[in-house]
Amino acid sequence: MIIQILGIFSGIIIARGLSPSGRGAMAVIVTLPTVLSYALEFGLPISYMRFSNALNRRFLITSISVFSLCILASSLFLAYLATSFIPSYSAHKYAILTFCIFFVPVSLSTRLFQSFLLGTSNFKHSESIRLSVPLLNVLMLSACLFFDSISVVSVILITLLSNVVALCLSLFFSVKYKNTDLKEGVGFLGLVSYGIKSHFSRLSIFSNLRGELLYLTSVASSYSIGYYVIALSIAGIPRSLAANFGNYIYLVISKIGNTEQMAKLFTSNFYRIFTVVIIACICCAAGMNTAVNLVYGYEYRESVYPAVLLTIGGLFFILYQFVTDGMRAFSDNYMLSRAEIISTSCGFLSILVLNIININHIALIIMLSQVLSALIQIIYAFRKGCLKI
């Protein structure tokens, strides 16, 4: 939760220091390399977590280094193609390629080392690495804001520097860890074959969350992108709360054991959460204009309408996550993530097919897809008897 709060503060500082056009230009430069780094990881973070006790120190560092360089070459090739043929990217061609050179291998290597630490139960070190990036961002951005020196270049440099520090920390903790419980050896192809199985489902969810932003950066103006990014950052607040609600209800319900009592507790908590979500949606619609003007400034007033829609969608995502994790307590994983993948995929495809570039219309479609995924999951829970009227 602290990481999400620091991320929100970083977004506010950047918005205060940059104009909507500058915020949009930054999104254009950062979004494509970020998506490529996740799209080309082939599920290896899952593999490094799963086979952490079968990896010696030399293989760990060598495999991550070689794979990161291969991903760098692939991402540079794809970024070069995108910046050559997509007009919106061509204006930032060299900035995008430069960001790929530094950010892609650094961020990917950090995720792999962090997954290794998670697999070896080094949760404290892993959380320290995760916390280092947003914490450094807030500190350095605050200093830039104080000296009135925030620009697109300075924000990108700060982003790179914080990720480099995280990589150094993850490498230090991984090398420091002495693996004394080596099990069967596993080759690099074995890691890839295991990780690729979970990669496409993870990639589908990630692309549905960031797909419309990637599309928007290739067709819209910098001003529109800047407004939409602010709306996304506001809507990220309820999404960050969703995981906490879901984990809580899973832990509470799974300890009961009796199916009838589990359903009763699950239902009572569901109606409470549903009531809170509806009230929060009403408050969001009523107070978003004032909140945006106070926090981000009057120049971001165009972000109000998409922020309302995306935040309502995020609130319904809380319901979705709550019901999904509650169903896990009943050992029912059939619909896990499927409702969101199906509904958000349909929403994203409709944006592409209809060639929608208006940020208000895009936000409306994303909201409807998230509401639909929540309704699908709720209906499924009622039909299975986990939720009762």
Side-chain angles (χ1 to χ4, degrees), residues 301-348:
R301 60 190 179 279
E302 297 293 331
S303 299
V304 172
Y305 185 69
V308 170
L309 296 175
L310 291 174
T311 303
I312 290 175
L315 290 169
F316 272 87
F317 181 77
I318 293 178
L319 279 178
Y320 166 83
Q321 194 68 47
F322 179 86
V323 176
T324 300
D325 287 333
M327 296 291 288
R328 283 174 52 212
F330 291 86
S331 300
D332 191 331
N333 295 323
Y334 177 72
M335 287 291 288
L336 190 64
S337 300
R338 285 172 173 79
E340 186 188 14
I341 291 174
I342 294 171
S343 60
T344 51
S345 295
C346 292
F348 180 55

Side-chain angles (χ1 to χ4, degrees), residues 32 78-86 89-93 96-97:
L32 180 60
L78 294 173
Y80 178 79
L81 290 179
T83 54
S84 299
F85 295 103
I86 299 177
Y89 288 152
S90 60
H92 306 279
K93 180 174 184 176
I96 292 174
L97 293 175

Side-chain angles (χ1 to χ4, degrees), residues 24 74 131 196 239 243 260:
S74 302
L131 183 61
I196 200 71
R239 291 192 70 95
E260 191 65 30

Side-chain angles (χ1 to χ4, degrees), residues 208 340-353 365 369 372:
N208 286 330
E340 186 188 14
I341 291 174
I342 294 171
S343 60
T344 51
S345 295
C346 292
F348 180 55
L349 288 174
S350 64
I351 293 173
L352 293 179
V353 171
I365 292 176
S369 67
L372 178 61

